[in-house]
Every structure is written in C-alpha cells, then in structure tokens.
Amino acid sequence: MTGSKKTGGLAGISAGETKLCTVGKEGAGLTYLGYDIYDLADNATFEEVAYLLLQGKLPNQQELDAYIEKIKANRGLPDALKTVLEMVPADAHPMDVLRTGVSFLGNIEPEGDFANQADTADRLLACLPSMMVYWHRFHADGVRIDTETDDDSISGHILHMLKDEAPSELHQKSLSTTLILYAEHEFNASTFAARVITATLSDMHSAVAGAIGALRGPLHGGANEAAMELIQKFKSAAEATAGIHAMLKRKDLIMGFGHRVYTTSDPRNSVNKQMSKTLADEAGDTVLYPVSEAIEKVMWDEKKLFANADFYAATVYHFMGIPTYLFTPIFVCSRVTGWAAHVMEQRANNKLIRPAAEYTGPSLQEWVPISDRT
Ligand code: COA
C-alpha cells in the first residue's frame, strides 16, 4: 500500500490504546509501563524489564529469582525442533530461521486456549536465543551445542552459547542494556502486525512469527545489520564523510537514521553510542567508531536526521564479536517481550482490526465475454 500523502503509512494516526509504552510523548519520552527508559537502562536487568512488560509490574527479589529460574528451565529445544533447525540451509537468513522455529514450536507445543499465555510468552523468551545460536553454531562450526546453560541472564546465555565460554561482565551488561532498549516501542510495524494477527483470535506463535517477518525488513529491525554493512564500507572518517555526501546526492537511504515518530533524536541512541565508545576503546578500534561519528555528523548537518537505536547498536554487537547476521535476530530475542505483552493486552480488550481503504481503482465496468476481449 502506498496510500495518499495524507494517510500513507498511517503516520500520526492513533490505531488503538496501550498501557505498555510511550514513545516520544511530551513530558515522558520513552517509557515502559511508566518507567523511564534511562532508569531502566541504568538500573534494571533485562529479566526485570521482561517481567515488567509481561506481568505489568516490577518484580520483587523473590519474584525475580523465580522468574530467572523459570527462564533457565525453558531454554531447552525439543529434538524435533533441533532437526528442523539443522535442515534450514546454512545460507538462510537467521531471521527466517527464527520465523520457522517459532512456527514449528507452535505445532509441537501449541498454545491451546489462552489460559497459559504468560507461560507461552516465557517459553518463547527463553528458547529464541537457543534456536538462534543452535542453528548458527550447527552451520557455522559444525557443532550441536547444549542450549541449557546455567547463566542467570539472557545476554550471558547468548554470549556463552556463541563462544563456548562465559562472557566478560562488560559484554554481558552491554548486551543486556541493548535488550532493554529494544524490548518495547508501542505500535511499531512488527508489534502492530502482532496485534492485527492476535485480533483475529489467532495464537501467540502466529503473532510472533508474523512480527518476526515484519521486523526483518531494513526499514525496521533489519536496519542494524544494514547500518553495520554501511559503516564497514569506509576505512576512515574522511572517507565516510565523502561517501555519505555522495550517497545523499544520489538520494540513497542511509540505514540507521530517521524515525517515524521521533523528530529530533532517538532517546536510545545516547545509551548505545556511549556503549559503542566504551567497547571500541576496549577493542582498540580506531576506524569503526570514528566512521560512525562522521556518518552521524553528515546526516545531522545535511539532513537534520539523527541516528536511531539501530545505528550504534550495530557496532556495540560488532565489538563483542557477534556476527552481523545475528543482529536483527538478537532484536527478536528482546522484542518478543513487547510483542507478547501486546498480544496479551490486545486479547484483554479485543476487537478485530480491520481498517477501511480509500478506493482508487476503475469505475464500475461492464462484463465482457472472453471471446470479445481484445
Ligand atoms: N536516509 C536518507 N534520507 C532519509 C532517511 C534516511 N535514513 N530517512 C528519511 N529520509 C528522508 C526521506 O527520503 C524523505 O525525504 P523527501 O521528503 O525528500 O522524500 C524524508 O526524509 C522523510 O522520510 P520518510 O521516508 O517519509 O519518513 P518515514 O517516517 O516514512 O520513514 C523511516 C521513517 C525510519 C522508515 C526512514 O527514516 C528510513 O527509511 N530510515 C532508514 C531505515 C532505518 O534506520 N530504520 C529503522 C527505524 S528505527
């Protein structure tokens, strides 16, 4: 759908209510259930944020401990799912792997009635990282990893499975912070897709599989991978400055910049940028971070466009040694919390989502028998 200028992409149109999140709201900014994103990024663990989104309140210590144990107990993959993951080709995109994995899980562990929807959400949260890394390690390294690690954090679990060793505290904490920042973002394209699917009274696996399909595209979650590819094209800040000028002249889209809702900055960017700098220093990087800053400066000077959450998330992941094609799948491992929370919110007050369209086709035509058609 292209739509008229007025309605194109539903920009600025309210499509429903939510208690879960504010995005760029005056006086509030980005909040999850009333908590400021900076407070959450500075003080919370991703597991606390997941609990907040899925249970509607911050956990106390006892609740958090029990929640972590529940997530850990749900990391295992059924043998049939492992077989499916092994059959998905090595050159598939891991976003397609996760979409298939979630869909298959919906066959072997169907949601049934919605009474256990929170358990379904927790199962997906726990085993998406396992699916992602199991497939990656099987095809990249020829090994069948044990996905039932003892790491308390989901970020530690991911990094541990990727490298067969426990991560440093800096890497674990940095990944966890990006998961917090990615967890929820109101009626973005993938979440809205999940709500549309949910509103037909379909199951959570279908909603999450559909959301993964929506997140995959480079205008949405796929932008973090596209941003990394862009940053890696340049060997110096000067080259990047010239290169971005040339791309803008050609009217190319610069991935990791701009946003449908934010107009002057993306609040998640300052946190990601700081982490990228810290990790660049740790890695002894003298190219990628300066290149990123050079791109950011040209985009602001020339177009007044700012880096969104995906831009510096790319180098945060890169400096930790995460392969680029896993960047958007890691986004999935986080955003599944927001998607599932929206599925539950939609179900609590459901109405089929079925907008109207402005008709722009031909006027009423007279039927012509096939023998008379030119
Ligand atoms: N690079 C270059 N120009 C950009 C741009 C970018 N990243 N983002 C927006 N623009 C330009 C558009 O070309 C358009 O210019 P025009 O008025 O001369 O045609 C203008 O800014 C408005 O952009 P528009 O595409 O109408 O905004 P939107 O609200 O529909 O799009 C995005 C928002 C996010 C899809 C868009 O900014 C984009 O494609 N960004 C790159 C992908 C990305 O980072 N996605 C992740 C989002 S979190």
Side-chain angles (χ1 to χ4, degrees), residues 13-229:
I13 291 173
S14 170
E17 296 179 348
T18 184
K19 290 189 173 69
L20 295 168
C21 181
T22 61
V23 172
K25 187 172 152 52
E26 219 183 308
L30 175 57
T31 62
Y32 301 168
L33 282 137
Y35 291 96
D36 187 286
I37 192 68
Y38 294 122
D39 279 339
L40 295 173
D42 283 350
N43 304 306
T45 62
F46 174 58
E47 292 65 34
E48 279 176 282
V49 172
Y51 188 100
L52 170 69
L53 289 167
L54 294 168
Q55 299 292 332
K57 71 174 204 68
L58 282 174
N60 62 31
Q61 190 63 54
Q62 205 182 353
E63 287 164 336
L64 181 61
D65 292 345
Y67 192 57
I68 288 171
E69 287 312 313
K70 183 180 183 191
I71 296 298
K72 284 164 76 171
N74 272 282
R75 285 176 177 159
L77 302 177
D79 286 344
L81 177 52
K82 287 183 188 167
T83 304
V84 167
L85 294 172
E86 290 176 15
M87 283 168 63
V88 179
D91 63 355
H93 192 285
M95 284 298 278
D96 298 338
V97 176
L98 292 188
R99 193 192 59 216
T100 298
V102 168
S103 182
F104 186 72
L105 201 66
N107 288 299
I108 56 174
E109 298 177 5
E111 196 185 3
D113 69 34
F114 302 156
N116 299 319
Q117 58 181 357
D119 292 335
T120 306
D122 292 338
R123 171 69 168 141
L124 285 167
L125 173 65
C127 78
L128 272 162
S130 304
M131 283 185 216
M132 171 179 80
V133 187
Y134 185 89
W135 174 85
H136 165 67
R137 295 290 313 273
F138 179 79
H139 290 288
D141 302 333
V143 292
R144 292 187 167 95
I145 57 160
D146 179 3
T147 64
E148 294 183 67
T149 75
D150 197 36
D151 300 271
D152 281 349
S153 69
I154 291 170
S155 52
H157 172 59
I158 292 172
L159 293 169
H160 195 164
M161 288 189 295
L162 275 174
K163 297 188 180 170
D164 284 335
E165 60 186 22
S168 70
E169 202 184 325
L170 175 65
H171 288 193
Q172 182 269 315
K173 178 88 181 67
S174 304
L175 180 56
S176 189
T177 304
T178 69
L179 297 180
I180 291 171
L181 298 176
Y182 267 148
E184 165 54 12
H185 218 219
E186 197 222 42
F187 278 21
N188 59 87
S190 57
T191 300
F192 193 59
R195 288 192 79 128
V196 169
I197 294 168
T198 301
T200 69
L201 301 183
S202 187
D203 64 307
M204 194 178 292
H205 297 91
S206 296
V208 171
I212 291 172
L215 190 73
R216 184 193 197 297
L219 296 191
H220 193 8
N224 56 14
E225 293 177 23
M228 192 67 233
E229 281 153 22

Side-chain angles (χ1 to χ4, degrees), residues 218-220 223 248 252-260 299 303 305 308 310:
L219 296 191
H220 193 8
L248 289 178
D252 289 352
L253 263 187
I254 311 298
M255 293 306 179
F257 287 85
H259 199 270
R260 172 56 67 77
M299 290 303 286
K303 301 278 290 181
L305 283 171
N308 58 46
D310 292 316

